[in-house]
Amino acid sequence: MDLDGDGRLDILSGSWPGELFLFRGSKSGFLPPEMIKDKTGEFINIGGGVRKDSQFGVLVTGNATFEEKNGKKILKYHGKEIEYDDVKGAATTGTASTVHAFDWNGDGKLDLLIGDIGGNVYLILNEGTKTNYVFGKETKLVSIQGGDAGPFVCDWDGDGKPDLLVGSGDGSVMFYRNIGTRTEPKLDKPATLLPPSPVEFGKDASAEPKRGIRSKIWAADWNGDGRLDLLVGDFTTQKPAPRNISDEEKAQHEKNKKELEEVRNSYSKLYQKAYGQEKPTEKEAQKKARSEFTTVSKRMTELYKKVPPEYENHGWVWLYLRKPGPPAAAN
């Protein structure tokens, strides 16, 4: 993908905070990332910004950092310095943006399709030129029920018009056929290419690889038969391979497991006192609660290292070869 039209491939990425990052291609490789701005000069982060919150005094959705300046605690967010105190607190979160660049309206310029954690897919048209992009205001294209929308545009049904594929937080993949034109796309009702993932998590995780959640997709003719195939990346958990340990080690593991369960319960209760609905209004009481929470958090981290994991996190890429048949089937 050559977003800036200089003849070199670039890398485009979303992020957990929500901003979009461009790694420009150069003769020596890829340059450091830069956050993409819209035509008003603001960093693109649909749904991002600063707001007051009932649980946290200040909540920033976006790329922010906690710092201290002149004895005061601040959140730095895109050049802004937002002051907060220990009593009201502050926190950051994100929109888990994903992004795909494609010439959506057939004018020869790359536009942006952006998915978010809520399951929405937005379109931002390039109002500039092929070599000097200028991104305008977003419009919502679709919303999916599974959340964590991951859009990808391709001519899935082979009619010469761009269609929309969307990966979902539940592991499914949806197909939106373009029933409009090449320059004025119009999306039909979705058809299911892949159903939600059947994977189990935590202690119920399978010992064998199974398709997971948070589908991120790509379509390409993998085997050169003239039909687009589907590649799906995911997130899942899996039981680790068993290993032989001594009776003494087993006994110590059981002891650590028992303590870990007790610490987990304390962690949940102390979180509510330090940051949740039970947070005291008095500054000293809040400091004490946060100190106790920090102590328990450290101990829980130590115990997790000593206890054999019940499951491991994995990410797989699955290949679905296209067979002859209806274009809405990934069979």
Side-chain angles (χ1 to χ4, degrees), residues 152 154 156 165-168 170-174 192-199 209-236 316-324 326-331:
F152 183 83
C154 64
W156 183 252
L165 306 185
V166 184
S168 173
D170 63 11
S172 62
V173 177
M174 308 305 292
T192 301
L193 293 185
L194 290 178
S197 166
V199 72
K210 286 188 176 180
R211 185 166 60 86
I213 59 174
R214 303 178 192 171
S215 298
K216 299 299 182 285
I217 54 180
W218 193 271
D221 182 4
W222 182 262
N223 57 358
D225 64 355
R227 291 185 291 265
L228 287 178
D229 306 303
L230 191 64
L231 292 101
V232 182
D234 68 9
F235 168 79
T236 187
W316 304 101
V317 176
W318 302 87
L319 170 63
Y320 294 86
L321 293 175
R322 189 81 162 269
K323 295 180 179 179
N331 38 40

